[in-house]
Amino acid sequence: MKRSEIIGGGIIFFCGGTTVVLSLQMPIGTFRMAGSGLFPLCLGIALMLLALLNIANLLFQKDAAQQPQKAEAASPGAAGQMLLFLGASALATLGLNILGYPLTSFLLMLSLMGILGVRQPVLLVTLPLLTAAGSYFLFVQFLKIPLPKGLIGL
């Protein structure tokens, strides 16, 4: 059992729980007429379930019980990357009402890809643009879920 992986699973579980609690403050609606809180609620529940499955898998792994643990060298790059991920997510959350959903999702995806080390300009522009446009059309146009419009009014 790797202690750092269990701690990471706990952090993901906590983030999922926070997402569930905050989504319950928005209108949920139904699956036929979804409110703006339904998608984050489902996402938070999914995060919590996946984190629990990951932690259970780590705890009951046979390999970990039979082999002595090696001292893990903490990778400073991974810790810094996690902090950058959290910072980008926090900034996106703060800017959501000002910038609107499409621009915020584009900028968040662009920054996360940059943090992950993607350096191909075509990929850095195309994937965030497709993600923002696809999610906008799916949630706003097709499912009629009201998302923050921001200053650009999309």
Side-chain angles (χ1 to χ4, degrees):
M1 144 175 75
K2 295 181 180 179
R3 184 174 179 226
S4 60
E5 290 179 2
I6 292 177
I7 291 172
I11 291 171
I12 292 173
F13 183 82
F14 176 75
C15 290
T18 303
T19 303
V20 167
V21 169
L22 293 176
S23 69
L24 291 173
Q25 297 175 2
M26 296 186 279
I28 301 295
T30 64
F31 283 110
R32 291 192 113 186
M33 199 63 165
S36 57
L38 183 63
F39 178 70
L41 176 67
C42 293
L43 179 65
I45 291 170
L47 277 175
M48 291 172 67
L49 288 174
L50 290 172
L52 283 176
L53 288 173
N54 186 36
I55 291 170
N57 184 34
L58 290 170
L59 289 174
F60 297 113
Q61 230 174 19
K62 291 182 182 178
D63 297 341
Q66 294 172 353
Q67 296 176 356
Q69 289 293 319
K70 296 179 184 177
E72 291 181 16
S75 171
Q81 201 174 39
M82 181 186 264
L83 287 175
L84 288 173
F85 259 67
L86 290 173
S89 299
L91 285 175
T93 303
L94 291 174
L96 186 61
N97 286 330
I98 297 168
L99 299 175
Y101 178 78
L103 183 58
T104 301
S105 63
F106 173 79
L107 292 174
L108 177 62
M109 191 70 169
L110 182 69
S111 64
L112 293 180
M113 288 180 67
I115 292 168
L116 286 174
V118 177
R119 299 289 178 244
Q120 298 170 339
V122 173
L123 207 57
L124 270 175
V125 173
T126 313
L127 193 58
L129 188 62
L130 289 174
T131 303
S135 62
Y136 175 79
F137 284 111
L138 174 68
F139 294 113
V140 175
Q141 300 297 321
F142 182 68
L143 295 174
K144 306 290 185 209
I145 297 174
L147 296 173
K149 294 183 179 188
L151 299 176
I152 58 174
L154 270 178

